[in-house]
Amino acid sequence: MPLAAAISPPRPFFPHRHLLGIEGLSPQDIVALLDLAEEAVEVSRQIEKKRTTLRGRTQINLFFEASTRTQSSFELAGKRLGADVMNMSVATSSVKKGETLIDTAVTLNAMRPDIIVVRHAQAGAVHLLARKVDCAVVNAGDGAHEHPTQALLDALTIRRNKGRIEGLTVAICGDIMHSRVARSNILLLLALGARVRVAGPSTLMPAGIERLGVEVFHDLRRALTDADIVMMLRLQRERMNGGFVPSTKEYFRFHGLDEEKLALAKPDALVMHPGPMNRGVEIDSIVADGAQSLIREQVEMGVAVRMAVLEALAQHLPNG
Amino acid sequence: MSHPPLAFVNARLVDPAALTEMRGGVLVSDGLIAGVGEAVRADVLPESVRVIDCGGDVVAPGLIDLSAFVGEPGAEHRETIATATAAAAAGGVTTIVANPATNPPIDDPAVVDFLLRRARDTGRVRVLPAAALTKGLAGKEIAEIGLLQAAGAVAFTDGSRSVESAQVFRRAMTYARDFDALVMHATEDRDLVGEGVMNEGEFASRLGLAGIPREAEAIMLDRDLRLVELTRARYHAALVTTTLSLERLSNAKERGLNVTAATSINHITLNESDIGDYRTFLKLAPPLRHEEERVALVEALASGLIDAIVSDHNPQDVETKRLPFAEAEYGAVGLETMLSAGLRLVHSADLPLPKLLRAMSTRPAEILGLPQGRLVRGAPADLIRFDPDEPFVLDPASLRSRCKNTPFDAARLQGRVKHTIVAGAVVHEEA
């Protein structure tokens, strides 16, 4: 046995019971998940996509906020690993009838699920729920806080196309203030050694964001200059008409990604968007559907990354 | 468009940027000042130059007015760009910043474009549009500041209206900062103004009119300055009239905030007592204040605490003024009389001429980032010539503005503009 290993015993593979955020993950944890996800990509590309890793396990997708794409991605991931997947959306749940989050958690816990995937409109709600249940919890997005599987799938997409993340310049552009995607991506990309820029109108820039270690730009053109990766964020409709930005027309002109602005990035720069896109608001259709776009590949990587996350958490389940 | 070269000689040159005076001349060529000083004399200039012997009159940079209502679009019965700029040229004002409180308001890039084209086609002096800070001047949603600026708007303001919501104002300022846009804000707390129609105090009480407290202005300004500190936007207090505001302003400037301020020609030359027998031409917003306030405003101009003097030109047709005081419209015309009125302070030895002109020309130019407002070679040839001592009695009928609502009706004034030059072209010449 090598001496080093004797002094510090080998670190367990992904030593976390829940995935609540990128915060708290080590670079090794992240890389381990990405490596596992690579295998899941291969699995998903075969005709026989079914694995037995989660056979007999119950996965509940608890979505307090509607999200077709994330929910179906988690559902497919669970099913491909052999789990029994149940979807609970807020429209049909007792939450509508006034049940508190904690009561919901306690009720679900009594049904003995193995994994709960939670999406909630309030930051911190998933953490609160995780403290009340015995099973593994995956954060599928909590308010403007974190969306760890999105950051992981973005990282996987970047790594597969660029071969690395370290040293790349990534510009995250748009509504940083209200974006959980931005926060998780900032944490992950910095952890893996990328240079991260954030760009957007000051009205959509959270206070003190530069303290996270990112460079802040208010001029999209400057943020894009020599970037390797351009990540556009969705601008929610309710923020388009004068509250935070004057109009979609003005937003597109100054903060929307079109061919002309993209030309400022490196010639081999790649474009990403977590979806769903507002074409003609934050991104021009020509760019979204263009040769530099990775947007469709992101969706494929989403399933693979979620399979990897479920598999990694499953190892800590009782009788796992 | 190039005009034949022209020279003012034998003049008293006042450079308000340097706060200096000297004897000499100014040579104008290709729209720019080609030479300044003693060397510009009639005997050394070629014959192709039109020489104007000033006989010792003052030659100075043209005035720049940060706030005037030009009537277009939508209020052409009160004023047009043609009449407003004729009044401006006659008053020595070479650049007007047009108030966006028109109908429709200047809150759309197409309206900015309209105004610029109208100014090009019908204006005698430069007209720069200020655009709305919030859509429809309603104080609810941020206007298209980026697109408006790209179309040619030089500043953002809701005119005489204050943005009441601190949240909206904060976001508008934050957004404006990304474009380094200048926010000009009139500060008046509408609730505190209430039913008030003139300055609160003894005089209002004697007249039986509801008063407007000075705090209505100062409280809103105080809020604004705190939000300037938070947002670091470029802020201009559009019209301060009280010592309460001056205290706040002084504090903000000492703290290094990016803040400037203006007062109006009316507030430094008139006081509430001039309202006398319910003279509605002196019904202004904010109201004329007590004499002590006026004196403090003049001192603040001398010290530089107040940066600029505006005409606050607001033409109102007679029908809206020929009403009981409380029902009459607010506002007075001012473009044509602001220099003569301001010279009262020079003649009373309260303000030296270079400092008066600094507040009417140099500082407004600097606030807008314009190259005007200085008497140096290479600067745009926007110039005025006047005899500061020439006495006259103001005949309202002689005013070029469509409306004659002047508070200086039949007033004895001194200093009439004899020549006004914009970009090297003579736009006003005394007959």
Side-chain angles (χ1 to χ4, degrees):
Chain A
M1 183 189 258
L3 190 61
I7 295 165
S8 60
R11 203 165 169 278
F13 168 73
F14 200 74
H16 306 278
R17 208 179 122 219
H18 306 299
L19 178 67
L20 299 180
I22 298 299
E23 173 109 67
L25 298 189
S26 67
Q28 297 95 303
D29 293 336
I30 295 166
V31 169
L33 286 175
L34 297 181
D35 291 345
L36 195 56
E38 291 279 4
E39 293 170 29
V41 174
E42 298 313 312
V43 171
S44 293
R45 285 180 177 179
Q46 293 163 8
I47 295 170
E48 173 55 60
K49 301 179 175 64
K50 208 89 169 170
R51 286 292 178 271
T52 56
T53 323
L54 294 184
R55 192 168 60 191
R57 300 291 188 187
T58 304
Q59 172 189 337
I60 298 178
N61 293 337
L62 180 59
F63 277 61
F64 292 93
E65 217 182 45
S67 164
T68 317
R69 106 171 29 211
T70 306
Q71 184 169 323
S72 45
S73 182
F74 270 108
E75 185 177 350
L76 264 183
K79 285 179 172 169
R80 283 183 186 169
L81 293 174
D84 295 317
V85 183
M86 185 180 92
N87 288 318
M88 264 186 73
S89 64
V90 73
T92 53
S93 80
S94 47
V95 175
K96 275 266 153 144
K97 300 172 189 166
E99 189 176 73
T100 66
L101 179 65
I102 289 174
D103 285 343
T104 306
V106 170
T107 306
L108 288 178
N109 195 47
M111 297 176 190
R112 302 199 164 273
D114 298 288
I115 298 174
I116 303 182
V117 177
V118 191
R119 154 78 55 100
H120 198 284
Q122 297 296 336
V126 180
H127 296 64
L128 179 62
L129 188 136
R131 285 198 288 272
K132 301 292 172 187
V133 296
D134 302 313
C135 63
V137 174
V138 179
N139 184 356
D142 64 323
H145 177 225
E146 281 231 47
H147 191 356
T149 57
Q150 179 71 44
L152 288 163
L153 77 88
D154 288 340
L156 181 63
T157 310
I158 295 171
R159 202 177 73 167
R160 285 172 64 93
N161 283 275
K162 290 285 183 191
R164 67 191 166 106
I165 286 173
E166 188 173 2
L168 294 178
T169 298
V170 183
I172 305 176
C173 313
D175 181 359
I176 308 292
M177 180 184 273
H178 302 99
S179 178
R180 51 190 169 226
V181 175
R183 282 172 180 72
S184 288
N185 262 309
I186 289 169
L187 295 171
L188 188 153
L189 292 165
L190 289 175
L192 293 195
R195 295 221 316 263
V196 180
R197 299 171 174 174
V198 294
S202 290
T203 42
L204 294 174
M205 199 59 77
I209 189 77
E210 67 282 354
R211 300 293 294 269
L212 267 58
V214 299
E215 261 188 289
V216 181
F217 293 81
H218 302 298
D219 179 347
L220 181 59
R221 292 164 184 279
R222 289 186 51 217
L224 293 181
T225 302
D226 297 325
D228 295 289
I229 302 288
V230 181
M231 240 180 226
M232 300 309 295
L233 299 173
R234 177 180 167 78
L235 182 69
Q236 299 289 350
R237 289 194 180 280
E238 64 269 24
R239 307 203 173 100
M240 289 180 194
N241 295 311
F244 292 87
V245 296
S247 64
T248 53
K249 189 170 61 169
E250 173 146 333
Y251 191 80
F252 183 66
R253 163 85 172 265
F254 295 100
H255 298 284
L257 185 66
D258 55 17
E259 283 182 298
E260 188 212 328
K261 295 195 197 90
L262 180 57
L264 296 166
K266 286 195 183 150
D268 61 348
L270 296 170
V271 176
M272 304 174 76
H273 191 298
M277 287 181 279
N278 292 299
R279 293 170 181 265
V281 179
E282 69 262 1
I283 191 163
D284 194 344
S285 274
I286 294 173
V287 172
D289 304 330
Q292 289 169 271
S293 171
L294 294 176
I295 297 170
R296 252 171 296 179
E297 190 176 334
Q298 285 175 273
V299 179
E300 184 190 356
M301 293 308 122
V303 178
V305 148
R306 283 159 188 139
M307 287 170 74
V309 167
L310 296 173
E311 192 175 336
L313 294 178
Q315 59 173 331
H316 303 298
L317 291 174
N319 314 316
Chain B
M1 186 164 59
S2 171
H3 297 275
L6 165 160
F8 289 112
V9 299
N10 190 21
R12 177 183 160 201
L13 304 175
V14 178
D15 182 2
L19 292 178
T20 55
E21 290 189 36
M22 66 186 286
R23 289 271 158 191
V26 181
L27 177 64
V28 171
S29 171
D30 292 328
L32 301 175
I33 295 174
V36 185
E38 288 184 323
V40 181
R41 296 191 317 266
D43 57 324
V44 300
L45 292 165
E47 276 195 14
S48 60
V49 176
R50 180 188 167 195
V51 174
I52 299 169
D53 189 324
C54 297
D57 289 347
V58 170
V59 169
L63 310 187
I64 297 170
D65 186 2
L66 290 172
S67 180
F69 181 77
V70 299
E72 293 188 50
E76 290 82 355
H77 62 293
R78 284 163 58 198
E79 196 75 290
T80 63
I81 288 175
T83 54
T85 57
V93 178
T94 50
T95 299
I96 297 175
V97 176
N99 188 311
T102 48
N103 183 20
I106 306 176
D107 69 348
D108 186 302
V111 185
V112 172
D113 191 54
F114 165 82
L115 200 81
L116 288 170
R117 280 186 290 110
R118 288 289 293 165
R120 183 195 64 201
D121 296 344
T122 68
R124 285 200 202 188
V125 305
R126 301 179 200 261
V127 179
L128 305 175
L133 182 64
T134 66
K135 291 178 191 168
L137 312 169
K140 303 266 191 257
E141 296 168 344
I142 308 169
E144 292 178 327
I145 289 173
L147 295 173
L148 289 161
Q149 188 181 59
V154 297
F156 296 84
T157 175
D158 279 358
S160 59
R161 291 198 213 179
S162 301
V163 176
E164 295 204 332
S165 159
Q167 177 71 291
V168 172
F169 194 66
R170 181 218 173 152
R171 289 207 181 122
M173 296 261 284
T174 301
Y175 191 77
R177 192 197 54 189
D178 286 354
F179 296 92
D180 193 29
L182 174 68
V183 174
M184 307 201 299
H185 199 227
T187 59
E188 190 178 71
D189 185 303
R190 235 164 288 169
D191 288 334
L192 264 181
V193 169
E195 300 292 306
V197 293
M198 71 171 288
N199 188 44
E200 184 171 287
E202 180 195 338
F203 203 66
S205 298
R206 284 179 186 274
L207 290 176
L209 293 172
I212 301 170
R214 300 179 302 160
E215 285 76 3
E217 174 181 305
I219 286 173
M220 188 67 88
L221 180 67
D222 194 26
R223 178 204 77 174
D224 282 8
L225 294 172
R226 288 178 193 279
L227 293 176
V228 173
E229 186 144 25
L230 178 65
T231 62
R232 300 278 152 183
R234 273 213 291 152
Y235 177 87
H236 175 75
L239 215 179
V240 298
T241 67
T242 85
T243 48
L244 301 179
S245 299
L246 295 180
E247 287 166 22
R248 294 291 188 271
L249 200 58
S250 169
N251 178 268
K253 285 193 167 189
E254 275 166 24
R255 292 155 68 84
L257 300 183
N258 206 339
V259 169
T260 54
T263 188
S264 92
I265 186 65
N266 302 313
H267 291 89
I268 55 170
T269 55
L270 302 166
N271 66 36
E272 59 179 359
S273 309
D274 291 307
I275 290 169
D277 193 14
Y278 302 95
R279 291 175 62 203
T280 59
F281 285 5
L282 284 88
K283 183 179 177 185
L284 305 173
L288 291 173
R289 303 290 185 185
H290 190 272
E291 174 65 7
E292 282 174 15
E293 305 284 309
R294 186 196 70 79
V295 169
L297 292 174
V298 176
E299 283 169 5
L301 277 166
S303 73
L305 176 57
I306 294 179
D307 299 271
I309 301 168
V310 296
S311 73
D312 198 25
H313 183 75
N314 187 355
Q316 295 291 351
D317 61 49
V318 178
E319 294 314 309
T320 64
K321 281 290 192 182
R322 210 179 276 153
L323 290 169
F325 194 88
E327 294 169 10
E329 271 295 344
Y330 290 93
V333 292
L335 280 168
E336 206 164 334
T337 48
M338 71 185 288
L339 178 62
S340 314
L343 285 169
R344 280 184 169 181
L345 303 172
V346 175
H347 293 299
S348 63
D350 291 314
L351 199 62
L353 181 59
K355 286 193 172 179
L356 177 73
L357 295 175
R358 176 179 70 177
M360 288 184 171
S361 180
T362 311
R363 289 299 293 140
E366 287 167 351
I367 290 167
L368 295 170
L370 300 176
Q372 277 90 346
R374 57 212 68 217
L375 212 55
V376 292
R377 194 183 159 143
D382 292 9
L383 300 167
I384 53 174
R385 170 201 168 193
F386 61 95
D387 172 3
D389 299 317
E390 181 189 350
F392 67 101
V393 176
L394 186 81
D395 173 10
S398 72
L399 293 173
R400 273 89 171 161
S401 176
R402 281 187 76 97
C403 294
K404 317 299 180 190
N405 54 312
T406 172
F408 299 102
D409 187 348
R412 288 166 197 283
L413 296 168
Q414 278 173 278
R416 244 207 252 254
V417 176
K418 295 180 178 174
H419 275 100
T420 304
I421 313 284
V422 174
V426 178
V427 297
H428 170 76
E429 191 161 13
E430 197 178 58

